[in-house]
Amino acid sequence: MTNTNTGSYQFEALNDAQFQTQRLQQQAQAVRSLETSILRGAGIQPTHDVLEIGSGPGFVSDLLAELAPQGSLHAVEPSPTLIAQLEGNVRQKPARGLFSHQAYGDALPLADQSIDFSYTRFVLQHVPKPQAVVQEVFRVTRPGGRFCAVDSDDGLVLFHPGEPRVDHVLHSAQSIQASQGGDRFIGRKMQEMMLQAGFTKVKTRVMMLTSSELPFPVLFNILLGYKASLLGDAVDLAKLFEDLSADVAAGRRLVAAGVFIVSGERA
Ligand SMILES: C[S@@+](CC[C@H](N)C(=O)[O-])C[C@H]1O[C@@H](n2cnc3c(N)ncnc32)[C@H](O)[C@@H]1O
């Protein structure tokens, strides 16, 4: 595998890999029922051949396998460490098989028009050429097949009252991630990217997650956990969490973050 498109999430280079795996597991479990309705709403069917790009350790793959039990699941992931964990985290293999591919999203090792439903979650923000990934998804999608992309956008992060340390973490992470080829404002761009690739019936939905709906440790990790890895020791995240959580628990501080959910169809 030639490494031409490493972006802002290279698992083997993270300084806190074990924490990041736990964070992905917590993040998948906390929103599992919500994500089930997102995936069903986006068109996943029990018999589908499903593709997941950037599957990580496989916690979301497990849900995809559950929702398409009579089909197949192709998980594409560049990290050899994460791909090795995938099999163990998908509890029930789909009837037509679970296939893991160590590959990048802009060079999918799949035949043209071989997939019914593709999903990518918190991946396009890390990829230097996201349009090329969306284009590849279009190539492998069967006519009538569907694609759903979920990603964040820092324009939809809200702390009230504000906290200067949070602003500092967000701004620093934006520039570090951009310098590595990522984009913390990808959410708003996905609709246009899907249309450009040729998808039709493209629809965007924004879902807000708030500190009164999700446990604060989960929301905090979703919002700031990966950024902590980018920033290293520059910010004491444990202290920031401690300082914010009492206020959040008492309802004195509201934290909210938006997630973009964009789906489309290949005519
Ligand atoms: C934040 S993690 C999300 C993992 C999983 N989708 C989830 O939501 O739990 C980003 C994942 O994208 C993978 N990734 C990074 N660059 C990629 C690329 N060019 N193509 C496919 N996957 C990529 C990373 O290795 C990592 O597993």
Side-chain angles (χ1 to χ4, degrees):
M1 188 181 58
T2 47
N3 194 348
T4 55
N5 54 4
T6 53
S8 58
Y9 197 109
Q10 295 171 52
F11 188 77
E12 281 72 16
L14 297 176
N15 56 19
D16 55 355
Q18 200 185 349
F19 166 69
Q20 292 301 329
T21 308
Q22 285 164 2
R23 191 179 74 85
L24 293 176
Q25 181 169 25
Q26 182 192 52
Q27 197 169 288
Q29 279 168 353
V31 296
R32 193 170 169 110
S33 62
L34 198 60
E35 195 156 23
T36 299
S37 49
I38 289 170
L39 287 163
R40 290 210 171 109
I44 195 168
Q45 300 286 334
T47 56
H48 272 174
D49 291 316
V50 174
L51 162 65
E52 184 187 11
I53 298 174
S55 49
F59 302 121
V60 178
S61 324
D62 180 63
L63 174 60
L64 291 166
E66 185 182 292
L67 295 177
Q70 296 143 40
S72 65
L73 175 59
H74 292 264
V76 168
E77 167 57 53
S79 156
T81 314
L82 293 175
I83 210 96
Q85 294 173 21
L86 186 101
E87 287 257 337
N89 288 324
V90 178
R91 289 168 294 180
Q92 200 145 7
K93 316 288 177 257
R96 288 198 296 276
L98 169 67
F99 305 94
S100 50
H101 307 272
Q102 193 192 342
Y104 288 100
D106 66 354
L108 296 172
L110 294 168
D112 292 358
Q113 303 192 5
S114 55
I115 294 292
D116 299 301
F117 185 89
S118 296
Y119 189 51
T120 191
R121 174 199 203 260
F122 301 132
V123 175
L124 293 178
Q125 65 169 282
H126 295 295
V127 173
K129 294 182 286 177
Q131 184 66 49
V133 175
V134 179
Q135 204 67 54
E136 268 293 84
V137 174
F138 186 80
R139 177 184 68 76
V140 303
T141 303
R142 292 188 175 116
R146 300 192 52 85
F147 176 33
C148 177
V150 168
D151 225 309
S152 50
D153 187 308
D154 277 0
L156 296 178
V157 178
L158 191 149
F159 280 71
H160 179 75
E163 158 61 56
R165 284 174 294 170
V166 171
D167 295 340
H168 172 68
V169 172
L170 289 174
H171 289 137
S172 309
Q174 282 156 15
S175 43
I176 297 174
Q177 203 169 331
S179 73
Q180 296 176 356
D183 182 354
R184 295 219 51 82
F185 298 92
I186 192 80
R188 68 189 70 182
K189 300 172 188 165
M190 297 192 306
Q191 172 172 306
E192 188 188 356
M193 287 166 43
M194 280 200 202
L195 284 167
Q196 261 184 33
F199 286 100
T200 58
K201 299 183 190 165
V202 178
K203 288 208 165 57
T204 293
R205 188 179 147 204
V206 169
M207 194 179 65
M208 291 303 282
L209 304 169
T210 73
S211 50
S212 44
E213 295 162 314
L214 269 187
F216 186 56
V218 176
L219 188 59
F220 185 85
N221 275 340
I222 290 178
L223 277 173
L224 301 177
Y226 162 73
K227 297 173 189 75
S229 170
L230 285 179
L231 297 176
D233 294 333
V235 170
D236 186 344
L237 225 69
K239 175 84 170 68
L240 178 59
F241 174 75
E242 198 187 304
D243 292 349
L244 291 172
S245 47
D247 275 358
V248 169
R252 286 189 298 267
R253 192 184 301 264
L254 173 71
V255 180
V259 175
F260 277 82
I261 302 158
V262 186
S263 60
E265 183 174 310
R266 178 170 180 159

